[in-house]
Amino acid sequence: MTIPTTKPSVRVAVVGCGHWGQNLARNFARENALEALVDAFPGAADKLAAQLSKQGFDIPRVSTWEEALKDTSIDAVALATPAPQHADMAVAALTAGKNVFIEKPLALSVEDGQRIVRAAETAGKLVMVGHLVQYHPAFIQLKALVREGRLGRVKHIHARRLGFGRIRENEGVFWDLGSHDISTVLALADDMPVAVTAQGCHPLRSQIEDVATAELTFASGLQAHIFVSWLYPQTERKLIVVGDRATAIFDDSEPWETKLRVYGNTISWTDGVPAAVKGDVEVVAFPPNEPLALECQHFLDCVKSGQQPITGADESLRVVEVLCWIENQIRQNQSSNASVASSTGSLTQSPSTASIDSALSDSTPNIFHSDSSHHARDVMATDKHTGGGVVKSMDPIPLMDLASQKARIQDALNHRLTKVMNHTTFILGPEVRELEARLAEYSGAAHVVACGSGTGALTLALMALNLQPGDAVLVPDFSFVGTVEPIALLGGIPVFVDVEPQNLTIDPSLIGAGVAAAKKAGHKAVGIIAVDLFGHPARYDELHEAAARHGLWVMGDAAQSFGASSGGRRVGSLARVTTTSFFPSKPLGCYGDGGAVFTDDSEMAELLISLRQHGLDAAKSNGLRIGLNSRLDTIQAAVLLCKLDLHEEEIGLRDEVAARYTELLTGTAALPSTHDDAQSAWATYTIRVKQRDAVRKYLSDNGIASAVYYAIPFHKQHAYQKFPIIEGSCPVAERACDEVLSLPMSPYLDFVAQNRIANTLRDALVQIERGE
């Protein structure tokens, strides 16, 4: 990084004129980028403006927060405000179209951090957090040494950030000092930890730790120790990285010339006995540039170029996640230690334990974040029965999380439901028509007809396709009963076809076998229902080719896949007619039953509109045909409109959750995937394991919900055993019924919960393999 000499086009308002606000203002002024100063106390901003003027910089305007948000000449704001204000102020700035720099931490809870990330994505603006050490030339050089393999495989990292003074009122020492070290450790590990242990000391206040240590364990075996304190009489800023070839020490208290040193120390082994071998010491040179100047320059460069910062929103959110783990560990240990002290008395404790416990309050500790429910989900403890390697939570993990979504849409939901109550058109009201139009726009289908349920949608679609008694319809042998039930109710003949092993959707190569099975049973095959199981689109291109060879129509059952796509087209436009369900657990679900039919066929759409309402004409006076009563309630349409506002974002979040699962679970079980040109809606994350029921019980015993979708193939279910099945049966479906296990899935499932799920699953598999 080099300091630019040309005037940048980015204009910045620094918000907060305290210690760090002054440093930021000075550096942005040096870059000729400082436009305005904002402080809750205007006198502080005036004073800083005068200081900058004396230093030879252009005098920035003194502005209010509201004025800065409205000022179109301001491209970015730099927040040097108290940490509890970060989330609300950052979201407000992003909503106003500003890029945002936040002096660490990003936020004081994962939920607030996620709010900031979502606001940035919605606004198309960037967020950067002041994890300053990442911009120190010595750390940049150290990271390069690690990436180049100069140290060999990194085994251990030790970080110390100690000093005296600047005691915070609102957050503990790890939030203030440790965020720098967590950021650097995560950068060097290039991974998230799989386990965290932490201990705090509270000599000044019972609810805020002043001295703390944490140990982070990574899947690679790397361990990192971090020690922070603001009560230490001497200043230490040291980072030690131990590899199997060499050790690097970055000591920021040293002069520039010797801040970074590499020790060629190694370990030799003789007859299984290790011996330390000292090597040469190399002083590593780097340019002596001010880290804060480089950090501010990087922010301006990213705003201009649109590239993501090194310490952008995603990186900073991971730091907050680890900080929350550490904080919750400290709270758990504090509570446990206080309980021990209360029950056993200090005379039974060792001197060292007593000295620590004497600093702990006997009262219940208060967690200082405003979102207590978030912390209840994130509370972590080390499982002492498994050697301390498994991250556990005190609360159950449900299969899905509708509450977090509801909290996001509550205001919009209240507004829409009030409108429905006021106009009182509770069946097929204006919200239903609005929903149909928006679903059509989203999916790319020309017409959408909303109805009373997903099963109703399938029934209406089959009626619109003129399914006659005795007509055979090919269906996958592995699905929910709602797929096949409407065929039988209308007098049709379901023919069971095996599924392909990758994503368990109907196998296109077996369509001919399905047609033959129908013919052998004395029936003519007329169509195929392709089920997008677990959110994965079926192989529609191949199915259309097979259907064309045999003169069949193709219907998509997208009950689990609304929001998915294949070949660049979204579900709803992949077949002649597609149905979906709005059952509450679906990717787009209401608060009851609901469904919809998608088609490009105008005549079919008109027919569906009649069929959903008893087969009546437009005037509702003449029964033109036998129909159903399958109409969507207006209240449910209002709910769906609120959720549709978030749907594309939530599909992206589901994809991230699925990717994290895949990363965490690789090597443990058969993991789900979709075909190459498809994007799943990830209605569920369904793995396949041997001894599935034993694994499920272990998860349940450890507070983790799971589900089996589905336990019995159609051809073995009592009501459907009489219907045809392809020659050779359906072995893939049968095996899937014995192995599938759906894990908790939600757009709002956080890393802490996923890590606990993954580790518990690994434990289950190990214990089952050992026969325990």
Side-chain angles (χ1 to χ4, degrees):
M1 300 180 189
T2 58
I3 302 296
T5 57
T6 58
K7 184 173 182 177
S9 58
V10 179
R11 308 301 294 163
V12 179
V14 172
V15 184
C17 297
H19 174 72
W20 270 106
Q22 293 173 28
N23 289 333
L24 291 171
R26 171 176 55 85
N27 278 277
F28 285 124
R30 180 185 295 167
E31 298 287 333
N32 295 317
L34 184 61
E35 180 70 21
L37 297 173
V38 179
D39 197 277
F41 301 98
D46 290 330
K47 182 178 179 181
L48 178 54
Q51 291 175 354
L52 292 170
S53 177
K54 289 180 181 179
Q55 294 170 11
F57 297 115
D58 292 340
I59 302 176
R61 290 184 286 112
V62 173
S63 178
T64 66
W65 174 238
E66 292 75 14
E67 290 169 347
L69 292 182
K70 295 177 182 178
D71 191 338
T72 57
S73 69
I74 294 175
D75 305 295
V77 298
L79 300 178
T81 56
Q85 300 175 8
H86 286 181
D88 288 341
M89 295 187 76
V91 170
L94 290 163
T95 303
K98 314 296 185 187
N99 297 283
V100 178
F101 177 96
I102 305 173
E103 184 49 49
K104 52 80 185 164
L106 173 70
L108 290 180
S109 73
V110 174
E111 185 173 40
D112 277 345
Q114 290 172 336
R115 280 205 298 132
I116 296 172
V117 172
R118 288 193 295 266
E121 291 173 347
T122 300
K125 299 296 178 180
L126 64 83
V127 171
M128 176 172 153
V129 173
H131 293 149
L132 183 60
V133 179
Q134 289 240 37
Y135 301 94
H136 197 297
F139 179 77
I140 294 170
Q141 187 64 44
L142 172 57
K143 187 165 66 170
L145 293 176
V146 172
R147 295 289 181 268
E148 294 165 3
R150 288 277 306 280
L151 308 184
R153 182 181 178 188
V154 176
K155 298 283 193 177
H156 176 70
I157 300 174
H158 180 76
R160 299 168 65 85
R161 190 164 299 272
L162 313 172
F164 186 75
R166 299 198 65 235
I167 299 170
R168 299 290 185 178
E169 297 180 5
N170 298 307
E171 66 263 19
V173 66
F174 244 111
W175 287 91
D176 181 37
L177 301 180
S179 57
H180 289 301
D181 299 298
I182 293 170
S183 176
T184 55
V185 167
L186 296 185
L188 293 173
D190 196 24
D191 198 2
M192 286 288 280
V194 296
V196 173
T197 59
Q199 182 69 49
C201 184
H202 307 72
L204 303 182
R205 296 154 295 181
S206 62
Q207 75 275 23
I208 298 179
E209 66 277 7
D210 305 291
V211 181
T213 61
E215 178 180 320
L216 314 183
T217 301
F218 295 84
S220 65
L222 167 66
Q223 287 188 311
H225 293 86
I226 304 173
F227 178 25
V228 292
S229 172
W230 49 39
L231 298 181
Y232 202 71
Q234 295 178 321
T235 299
E236 283 192 39
R237 301 284 187 269
K238 187 176 290 188
L239 181 64
I240 304 170
V241 182
V242 181
D244 56 13
R245 294 181 185 174
T247 295
I249 298 180
F250 166 29
D251 188 344
D252 205 17
S253 62
E254 289 282 325
W256 278 95
E257 295 78 11
T258 56
K259 283 185 184 292
L260 180 59
R261 288 168 289 177
V262 174
Y263 294 76
N265 299 342
T266 58
I267 302 295
S268 67
W269 294 82
T270 305
D271 297 328
V273 178
V277 179
K278 287 189 175 183
D280 296 333
V281 180
E282 175 190 357
V283 177
V284 181
F286 53 85
N289 294 327
E290 182 186 354
L292 186 56
L294 297 177
E295 183 180 63
C296 292
Q297 177 193 338
H298 183 62
F299 176 66
L300 297 174
D301 289 344
C302 289
V303 172
K304 285 188 289 185
S305 68
Q307 74 182 67
Q308 284 301 308
I310 295 170
T311 55
D314 291 339
E315 185 271 350
S316 305
L317 182 57
R318 289 192 291 270
V319 172
V320 171
E321 287 177 346
V322 176
L323 283 167
C324 285
W325 298 354
I326 290 171
E327 179 201 359
N328 289 322
Q329 265 278 278
I330 290 172
R331 295 290 174 266
Q332 283 297 114
N333 289 335
Q334 182 184 18
S335 179
S336 299
N337 290 341
S339 297
V340 170
S342 175
S343 62
T344 64
S346 60
L347 291 178
T348 65
Q349 301 168 19
S350 67
S352 60
T353 304
S355 65
I356 293 175
D357 284 348
S358 66
L360 302 178
S361 169
D362 290 332
S363 62
T364 302
N366 295 318
I367 295 176
F368 55 78
H369 297 308
S370 60
D371 184 8
S372 59
S373 65
H374 170 74
H375 284 273
R377 292 197 306 273
D378 279 1
V379 170
M380 300 173 62
T382 302
D383 186 352
K384 297 177 182 177
H385 301 292
T386 57
V390 179
V391 178
K392 301 250 182 189
S393 170
M394 303 303 292
D395 288 343
I397 300 177
L399 194 62
M400 64 194 66
D401 176 12
L402 296 179
S404 294
Q405 182 194 60
K406 181 176 178 291
R408 291 190 64 193
I409 66 172
Q410 188 66 66
D411 291 344
L413 188 62
N414 291 342
H415 175 71
R416 281 197 174 272
L417 293 180
T418 299
K419 285 183 65 178
V420 175
M421 294 301 170
N422 288 337
H423 66 58
T424 68
T425 307
F426 296 115
I427 302 294
L428 296 180
E431 285 77 10
V432 175
R433 294 189 294 275
E434 181 184 353
L435 176 66
E436 290 173 335
R438 288 189 58 187
L439 290 173
E441 180 183 8
Y442 182 90
S443 66
H447 306 281
V448 176
V449 178
C451 59
S453 69
T455 304
L458 284 162
T459 307
L460 288 169
L462 288 169
M463 294 172 72
L465 287 166
N466 197 31
L467 183 74
Q468 297 296 306
D471 286 349
V473 180
L474 278 55
V475 296
D477 195 36
F478 185 66
S479 181
F480 179 60
V481 69
T483 300
V484 67
E485 181 182 43
I487 302 171
L489 285 173
L490 293 173
I493 307 297
V495 178
F496 303 124
V497 178
D498 208 359
V499 293
E500 52 89 15
Q502 179 183 354
N503 55 22
L504 302 178
T505 59
I506 192 168
D507 190 336
S509 69
L510 297 176
I511 297 303
V515 172
K519 184 176 180 180
K520 183 177 180 180
H523 301 281
K524 179 184 178 182
V526 297
I528 304 166
I529 295 181
V531 179
D532 301 337
L533 199 70
F534 306 144
H536 311 312
R539 297 183 182 273
Y540 282 96
D541 289 344
E542 297 173 46
L543 288 171
H544 285 304
E545 291 176 6
R549 288 195 298 271
H550 296 284
L552 311 175
W553 44 254
V554 177
M555 179 194 299
D557 179 353
Q560 302 176 23
S561 67
F562 187 74
S565 62
S566 180
R569 294 183 298 151
R570 280 183 170 152
V571 162
S573 63
L574 300 176
R576 179 181 175 188
V577 60
T578 301
T579 66
T580 196
S581 168
F582 299 131
F583 188 76
S585 64
K586 306 303 183 185
L588 180 63
C590 56
Y591 292 155
D593 268 318
V597 186
F598 301 73
T599 184
D600 288 338
D601 188 327
S602 298
E603 292 183 3
M604 180 180 287
E606 291 181 9
L607 182 57
L608 288 164
I609 291 170
S610 171
L611 287 169
R612 76 176 173 185
Q613 192 156 239
H614 304 288
L616 293 170
D617 62 5
K620 302 179 186 177
S621 58
N622 186 11
L624 302 178
R625 54 190 60 86
I626 304 298
L628 302 176
N629 176 16
S630 185
R631 301 168 297 193
L632 183 66
D633 295 345
T634 309
I635 286 176
Q636 300 301 346
V639 172
L640 289 165
L641 285 166
C642 295
K643 292 191 174 190
L644 193 55
D645 291 336
L646 305 179
H647 188 62
E648 188 164 1
E649 175 192 350
E650 289 187 336
I651 291 296
L653 293 173
R654 286 176 179 273
D655 197 53
E656 291 176 10
V657 170
R660 284 203 300 265
Y661 263 139
T662 300
E663 181 179 359
L664 290 168
L665 295 176
T666 296
T668 62
L671 304 182
S673 64
T674 190
H675 54 87
D676 291 341
D677 65 344
Q679 169 65 53
S680 178
W682 294 107
T684 67
Y685 191 91
T686 301
I687 64 173
R688 299 174 65 175
V689 291
K690 307 294 184 183
Q691 302 189 53
R692 184 262 318 284
D693 294 339
V695 172
R696 189 181 184 200
K697 183 179 185 303
Y698 189 92
L699 293 175
S700 178
D701 290 345
N702 284 275
I704 297 171
S706 62
V708 175
Y709 307 121
Y710 302 93
I712 307 174
F714 284 138
H715 76 271
K716 290 187 177 182
Q717 295 185 26
H718 179 75
Y720 301 104
Q721 290 178 357
K722 63 183 178 181
F723 293 112
I725 184 172
I726 62 171
E727 186 175 352
S729 191
C730 298
V732 178
E734 292 176 3
R735 189 164 59 252
C737 287
D738 293 334
E739 296 177 350
V740 290
L741 184 64
S742 296
L743 302 178
M745 167 53 81
S746 161
Y748 308 103
L749 185 64
D750 59 39
F751 182 88
V752 175
Q754 281 193 273
N755 192 68
R756 176 184 159 203
I757 293 164
N759 282 307
T760 307
L761 179 64
R762 288 178 183 274
D763 274 358
L765 295 172
V766 168
Q767 292 197 20
I768 290 169
E769 184 178 352
R770 292 173 178 171
E772 297 178 5

